[in-house]
Amino acid sequence: MSDAMQRTIVDKGIAGLGNRLQVLGHCCDLSSRFNAVLCVDWTHNSWNDLFEHYFSLACPSEPAFQRSEGDFGHVIPPRYTSCITQDPLKCEALQHGMFLTDQEPALDGPWDTLVVCRYLARYSNRLFRLLRLHREVRKAVVDRMGDLGLAPSSYDCWHVRHTDASGGCPLDILKAIAHSPSKRKKVVITDSVEVVGLCVPYGIICPSIIPVVKSGSRHGVHHLGEAQLGQQGLVKQDVNRSAVVDLMIAGLACQFWGTCQQSTFSEFIYRGRIVSWFDAAIFGQRLSLLCWANAHVASLLLRCYLSYKIRWGRRLGWIVQ
């Protein structure tokens, strides 16, 4: 490869918002390591929309795709069409219902473009230095919190899933939340219409926009297709924006608890709260990255923090497993 040729990392997003952000962090690390331009394509799979409609990156990056068309979408930089020769979404592992969790192959040889399509990734600190919120989404967060009467740090928030990774019976969890001794307002974010309905009799605020139509399984709302969403007068962008708004509302709470122990969505919230990313993204405050420059130290701190939250969550009844 010529020294003048620009390398490119393409983040090909799959699954829900939490996994997309985790893998995006991994791609941010790769782009830094190889001095590559980073392109983020979330047009395929459950998100089905441009990354740039919700976030931006403070690093060398460019939009890679305009919309879903075929396997890779409509490629903006023409050189990508000749560089991308294999569709990772049609690999043997994914065809058999599995996700790509192995590390990328050795990248010492010449290459131009690397497409990263995987589920789960290594821990990354760099993402919080680079990730920015779209101004329209930032306004949507402020407006939604105003409509619900929520001020930053004036409420406690729980992430309650009723999907493939649920942490116990949602009804029992919500009962425990309702009986929490805290005098602050109680907020639950969720991907389940059942959880939305269960919040009502307990006076728990639920900002999540979840269509009444069910997906036919225990999968979350992001698995619903355009036809199912259309029955409720919704489109993918409505559900995507609600997920991002939920993420930010959870991050600005006084206390946050993820009731599912293996949720990348909750993990991103925990990590972002520790470094004050949510305050930085919404209010322009400075990140708090003391002791987080070293990824190994940061990972250890996060494990200690999660251990504390899980231990108290079990004691208080809203973490079952």
Side-chain angles (χ1 to χ4, degrees), residues 31-317:
S31 67
S32 176
R33 173 183 169 190
F34 294 107
N35 193 28
V37 169
L38 176 59
C39 293
V40 185
D41 172 32
W42 284 8
T43 61
H44 201 284
N45 201 250
S46 60
W47 195 261
N48 197 31
D49 196 11
L50 289 177
F51 166 84
E52 290 80 12
H53 287 168
Y54 309 89
F55 303 98
S56 63
L57 292 169
C59 68
S61 61
E62 57 186 10
F65 303 87
Q66 291 180 328
R67 56 187 292 269
S68 292
E69 287 183 9
D71 294 334
F72 279 100
H74 176 64
V75 180
I76 294 176
R79 59 191 174 85
Y80 291 178
T81 51
S82 61
C83 297
I84 300 175
T85 57
Q86 179 182 3
D87 185 349
L89 295 170
K90 291 185 177 180
C91 73
E92 183 177 353
L94 285 176
Q95 287 180 343
H96 288 82
M98 296 178 288
F99 288 110
L100 304 179
T101 56
D102 294 334
Q103 299 299 322
E104 277 74 26
L107 301 174
D108 297 330
W111 59 274
D112 176 88
T113 300
L114 171 67
V115 179
V116 179
C117 175
R118 59 185 297 153
Y119 188 76
L120 303 180
R122 289 196 301 267
Y123 186 94
S124 172
N125 286 331
R126 183 173 171 76
L127 177 62
F128 294 104
R129 299 179 184 271
L130 301 177
L131 189 64
R132 304 289 187 269
L133 199 63
H134 193 286
R135 62 182 182 278
E136 292 184 4
V137 177
R138 184 166 60 246
K139 182 179 183 302
V141 174
V142 174
D143 290 346
R144 186 65 170 151
M145 292 182 66
D147 293 341
L148 297 171
L150 300 176
S153 300
S154 68
Y155 57 94
D156 293 336
C157 184
W158 291 259
H159 177 210
V160 180
R161 294 184 63 176
H162 188 31
T163 60
D164 51 313
S166 176
C169 173
L171 179 58
D172 293 339
I173 293 171
L174 291 173
K175 285 180 179 178
I177 292 173
H179 291 94
S180 167
S182 173
K183 301 299 182 182
R184 292 182 290 270
K185 293 180 179 179
K186 299 176 177 63
V187 175
V188 163
I189 59 172
T190 185
D191 59 354
S192 166
V193 65
E194 288 84 359
V195 173
V196 174
L198 290 171
C199 285
V200 175
Y202 293 108
I204 298 173
I205 299 172
C206 187
S208 307
I209 298 176
I210 308 296
V212 176
V213 63
K214 299 180 181 180
S215 62
S217 69
R218 297 186 68 204
H219 290 304
V221 66
H222 62 275
H223 291 278
L224 294 174
E226 293 285 357
Q228 292 171 302
L229 293 172
Q231 297 175 27
Q232 304 294 314
L234 298 172
V235 294
K236 271 291 185 182
Q237 289 76 8
D238 297 323
V239 175
N240 294 348
R241 177 164 291 198
S242 176
V244 178
V245 171
D246 282 356
L247 183 87
M248 303 307 296
I249 289 176
L252 295 171
C254 181
Q255 292 288 336
F256 170 76
W257 307 81
T259 67
C260 172
Q261 298 177 40
Q262 296 180 335
S263 167
T264 52
F265 188 88
S266 290
E267 181 183 309
F268 179 88
I269 296 171
Y270 281 129
R271 290 166 52 191
R273 285 171 57 84
I274 292 174
V275 298
S276 301
W277 179 79
F278 295 96
D279 292 307
I282 296 294
F283 305 113
Q285 298 180 11
R286 296 185 62 179
L287 289 172
S288 175
L289 290 166
L290 185 64
C291 298
W292 280 69
N294 185 294
H296 296 293
V297 174
S299 181
L300 178 61
L301 288 174
L302 177 64
R303 287 199 298 269
C304 293
Y305 182 72
L306 288 177
S307 176
Y308 164 78
K309 299 292 283 192
I310 290 171
R311 184 171 65 252
W312 274 100
R314 285 174 174 167
R315 183 173 299 180
L316 295 170

